[in-house]
PDB file of all heavy atoms in Angstrom:
ATOM      1  N   GLN A 182      16.627  25.074   1.292  1.00 97.00           N
ATOM      2  CA  GLN A 182      16.342  24.171   0.167  1.00 97.00           C
ATOM      3  C   GLN A 182      16.913  24.712  -1.131  1.00 97.00           C
ATOM      4  O   GLN A 182      17.463  23.958  -1.941  1.00 97.00           O
ATOM      5  CB  GLN A 182      14.840  23.949   0.047  1.00 97.00           C
ATOM      6  CG  GLN A 182      14.253  23.110   1.179  1.00 97.00           C
ATOM      7  CD  GLN A 182      12.747  23.185   1.248  1.00 97.00           C
ATOM      8  OE1 GLN A 182      12.124  24.109   0.704  1.00 97.00           O
ATOM      9  NE2 GLN A 182      12.129  22.219   1.925  1.00 97.00           N
ATOM     10  N   ARG A 183      16.814  26.020  -1.334  1.00 97.00           N
ATOM     11  CA  ARG A 183      17.402  26.616  -2.531  1.00 97.00           C
ATOM     12  C   ARG A 183      18.920  26.435  -2.527  1.00 97.00           C
ATOM     13  O   ARG A 183      19.520  26.151  -3.568  1.00 97.00           O
ATOM     14  CB  ARG A 183      17.046  28.098  -2.614  1.00 97.00           C
ATOM     15  CG  ARG A 183      15.576  28.360  -2.941  1.00 97.00           C
ATOM     16  CD  ARG A 183      15.294  29.844  -3.121  1.00 97.00           C
ATOM     17  NE  ARG A 183      13.900  30.087  -3.432  1.00 97.00           N
ATOM     18  CZ  ARG A 183      13.349  29.948  -4.623  1.00 97.00           C
ATOM     19  NH1 ARG A 183      14.134  29.580  -5.656  1.00 97.00           N
ATOM     20  NH2 ARG A 183      12.066  30.176  -4.831  1.00 97.00           N
ATOM     21  N   ALA A 184      19.515  26.571  -1.350  1.00 98.00           N
ATOM     22  CA  ALA A 184      20.963  26.408  -1.244  1.00 98.00           C
ATOM     23  C   ALA A 184      21.363  24.962  -1.549  1.00 98.00           C
ATOM     24  O   ALA A 184      22.377  24.716  -2.220  1.00 98.00           O
ATOM     25  CB  ALA A 184      21.429  26.811   0.151  1.00 98.00           C
ATOM     26  N   GLU A 185      20.566  24.013  -1.058  1.00 97.00           N
ATOM     27  CA  GLU A 185      20.871  22.606  -1.298  1.00 97.00           C
ATOM     28  C   GLU A 185      20.749  22.263  -2.784  1.00 97.00           C
ATOM     29  O   GLU A 185      21.591  21.534  -3.335  1.00 97.00           O
ATOM     30  CB  GLU A 185      19.923  21.730  -0.478  1.00 97.00           C
ATOM     31  CG  GLU A 185      20.188  21.787   1.023  1.00 97.00           C
ATOM     32  CD  GLU A 185      19.140  21.047   1.837  1.00 97.00           C
ATOM     33  OE1 GLU A 185      18.019  20.825   1.304  1.00 97.00           O
ATOM     34  OE2 GLU A 185      19.422  20.695   2.993  1.00 97.00           O
ATOM     35  N   LEU A 186      19.733  22.796  -3.427  1.00 98.00           N
ATOM     36  CA  LEU A 186      19.557  22.555  -4.858  1.00 98.00           C
ATOM     37  C   LEU A 186      20.684  23.196  -5.661  1.00 98.00           C
ATOM     38  O   LEU A 186      21.243  22.575  -6.585  1.00 98.00           O
ATOM     39  CB  LEU A 186      18.204  23.092  -5.314  1.00 98.00           C
ATOM     40  CG  LEU A 186      16.976  22.357  -4.747  1.00 98.00           C
ATOM     41  CD1 LEU A 186      15.712  23.169  -5.000  1.00 98.00           C
ATOM     42  CD2 LEU A 186      16.849  20.964  -5.360  1.00 98.00           C
ATOM     43  N   ALA A 187      21.029  24.400  -5.302  1.00 97.00           N
ATOM     44  CA  ALA A 187      22.096  25.109  -6.016  1.00 97.00           C
ATOM     45  C   ALA A 187      23.435  24.405  -5.841  1.00 97.00           C
ATOM     46  O   ALA A 187      24.243  24.328  -6.786  1.00 97.00           O
ATOM     47  CB  ALA A 187      22.177  26.550  -5.526  1.00 97.00           C
ATOM     48  N   ALA A 188      23.661  23.876  -4.651  1.00 98.00           N
ATOM     49  CA  ALA A 188      24.931  23.205  -4.375  1.00 98.00           C
ATOM     50  C   ALA A 188      25.116  21.973  -5.251  1.00 98.00           C
ATOM     51  O   ALA A 188      26.242  21.591  -5.577  1.00 98.00           O
ATOM     52  CB  ALA A 188      25.006  22.820  -2.900  1.00 98.00           C
ATOM     53  N   ARG A 189      24.019  21.394  -5.663  1.00 97.00           N
ATOM     54  CA  ARG A 189      24.082  20.202  -6.514  1.00 97.00           C
ATOM     55  C   ARG A 189      23.791  20.542  -7.978  1.00 97.00           C
ATOM     56  O   ARG A 189      23.558  19.647  -8.795  1.00 97.00           O
ATOM     57  CB  ARG A 189      23.074  19.177  -6.009  1.00 97.00           C
ATOM     58  CG  ARG A 189      23.382  18.690  -4.577  1.00 97.00           C
ATOM     59  CD  ARG A 189      24.099  17.396  -4.579  1.00 97.00           C
ATOM     60  NE  ARG A 189      23.176  16.298  -4.879  1.00 97.00           N
ATOM     61  CZ  ARG A 189      23.553  15.047  -5.148  1.00 97.00           C
ATOM     62  NH1 ARG A 189      24.834  14.741  -5.190  1.00 97.00           N
ATOM     63  NH2 ARG A 189      22.661  14.107  -5.373  1.00 97.00           N
ATOM     64  N   GLN A 190      23.818  21.844  -8.305  1.00 97.00           N
ATOM     65  CA  GLN A 190      23.591  22.328  -9.674  1.00 97.00           C
ATOM     66  C   GLN A 190      22.247  21.871 -10.239  1.00 97.00           C
ATOM     67  O   GLN A 190      22.131  21.509 -11.421  1.00 97.00           O
ATOM     68  CB  GLN A 190      24.720  21.903 -10.614  1.00 97.00           C
ATOM     69  CG  GLN A 190      26.068  22.525 -10.294  1.00 97.00           C
ATOM     70  CD  GLN A 190      26.832  21.720  -9.259  1.00 97.00           C
ATOM     71  OE1 GLN A 190      26.959  20.518  -9.362  1.00 97.00           O
ATOM     72  NE2 GLN A 190      27.378  22.409  -8.258  1.00 97.00           N
ATOM     73  N   ILE A 191      21.214  21.868  -9.393  1.00 98.00           N
ATOM     74  CA  ILE A 191      19.861  21.539  -9.841  1.00 98.00           C
ATOM     75  C   ILE A 191      19.142  22.846 -10.162  1.00 98.00           C
ATOM     76  O   ILE A 191      18.964  23.700  -9.299  1.00 98.00           O
ATOM     77  CB  ILE A 191      19.091  20.742  -8.777  1.00 98.00           C
ATOM     78  CG1 ILE A 191      19.780  19.391  -8.533  1.00 98.00           C
ATOM     79  CG2 ILE A 191      17.628  20.538  -9.195  1.00 98.00           C
ATOM     80  CD1 ILE A 191      19.181  18.577  -7.404  1.00 98.00           C
ATOM     81  N   THR A 192      18.763  23.013 -11.423  1.00 98.00           N
ATOM     82  CA  THR A 192      18.088  24.228 -11.872  1.00 98.00           C
ATOM     83  C   THR A 192      16.640  24.234 -11.390  1.00 98.00           C
ATOM     84  O   THR A 192      15.969  23.194 -11.370  1.00 98.00           O
ATOM     85  CB  THR A 192      18.116  24.300 -13.408  1.00 98.00           C
ATOM     86  OG1 THR A 192      19.475  24.256 -13.850  1.00 98.00           O
ATOM     87  CG2 THR A 192      17.448  25.577 -13.910  1.00 98.00           C
ATOM     88  N   VAL A 193      16.149  25.412 -11.000  1.00 98.00           N
ATOM     89  CA  VAL A 193      14.768  25.549 -10.536  1.00 98.00           C
ATOM     90  C   VAL A 193      13.988  26.413 -11.522  1.00 98.00           C
ATOM     91  O   VAL A 193      14.417  27.520 -11.870  1.00 98.00           O
ATOM     92  CB  VAL A 193      14.708  26.177  -9.135  1.00 98.00           C
ATOM     93  CG1 VAL A 193      13.253  26.411  -8.712  1.00 98.00           C
ATOM     94  CG2 VAL A 193      15.424  25.281  -8.123  1.00 98.00           C
ATOM     95  N   VAL A 194      12.838  25.908 -11.975  1.00 98.00           N
ATOM     96  CA  VAL A 194      11.951  26.659 -12.862  1.00 98.00           C
ATOM     97  C   VAL A 194      10.628  26.858 -12.125  1.00 98.00           C
ATOM     98  O   VAL A 194       9.913  25.883 -11.863  1.00 98.00           O
ATOM     99  CB  VAL A 194      11.712  25.927 -14.189  1.00 98.00           C
ATOM    100  CG1 VAL A 194      10.698  26.687 -15.043  1.00 98.00           C
ATOM    101  CG2 VAL A 194      13.025  25.755 -14.951  1.00 98.00           C
ATOM    102  N   PRO A 195      10.279  28.089 -11.771  1.00 97.00           N
ATOM    103  CA  PRO A 195       9.018  28.338 -11.063  1.00 97.00           C
ATOM    104  C   PRO A 195       7.830  28.335 -12.018  1.00 97.00           C
ATOM    105  O   PRO A 195       7.992  28.346 -13.241  1.00 97.00           O
ATOM    106  CB  PRO A 195       9.230  29.722 -10.464  1.00 97.00           C
ATOM    107  CG  PRO A 195      10.161  30.404 -11.434  1.00 97.00           C
ATOM    108  CD  PRO A 195      11.068  29.326 -11.962  1.00 97.00           C
ATOM    109  N   GLY A 196       6.616  28.313 -11.438  1.00 96.00           N
ATOM    110  CA  GLY A 196       5.413  28.432 -12.250  1.00 96.00           C
ATOM    111  C   GLY A 196       4.689  27.110 -12.443  1.00 96.00           C
ATOM    112  O   GLY A 196       5.221  26.015 -12.197  1.00 96.00           O
ATOM    113  N   HIS A 197       3.468  27.240 -12.906  1.00 96.00           N
ATOM    114  CA  HIS A 197       2.591  26.091 -13.100  1.00 96.00           C
ATOM    115  C   HIS A 197       2.871  25.391 -14.423  1.00 96.00           C
ATOM    116  O   HIS A 197       2.887  26.023 -15.482  1.00 96.00           O
ATOM    117  CB  HIS A 197       1.128  26.567 -13.068  1.00 96.00           C
ATOM    118  CG  HIS A 197       0.128  25.491 -13.303  1.00 96.00           C
ATOM    119  ND1 HIS A 197       0.004  24.389 -12.486  1.00 96.00           N
ATOM    120  CD2 HIS A 197      -0.801  25.337 -14.291  1.00 96.00           C
ATOM    121  CE1 HIS A 197      -0.965  23.617 -12.944  1.00 96.00           C
ATOM    122  NE2 HIS A 197      -1.459  24.151 -14.031  1.00 96.00           N
ATOM    123  N   VAL A 198       3.098  24.086 -14.369  1.00 97.00           N
ATOM    124  CA  VAL A 198       3.341  23.302 -15.578  1.00 97.00           C
ATOM    125  C   VAL A 198       2.009  23.093 -16.302  1.00 97.00           C
ATOM    126  O   VAL A 198       1.042  22.602 -15.726  1.00 97.00           O
ATOM    127  CB  VAL A 198       3.968  21.939 -15.249  1.00 97.00           C
ATOM    128  CG1 VAL A 198       4.066  21.060 -16.506  1.00 97.00           C
ATOM    129  CG2 VAL A 198       5.360  22.136 -14.633  1.00 97.00           C
TER     130      VAL A 198
END
Side-chain angles (χ1 to χ4, degrees):
Q182 290 165 341
R183 289 184 180 280
E185 290 173 340
L186 293 167
R189 297 262 284 170
Q190 294 86 49
I191 297 174
T192 303
V193 176
V194 176
H197 178 61
V198 173

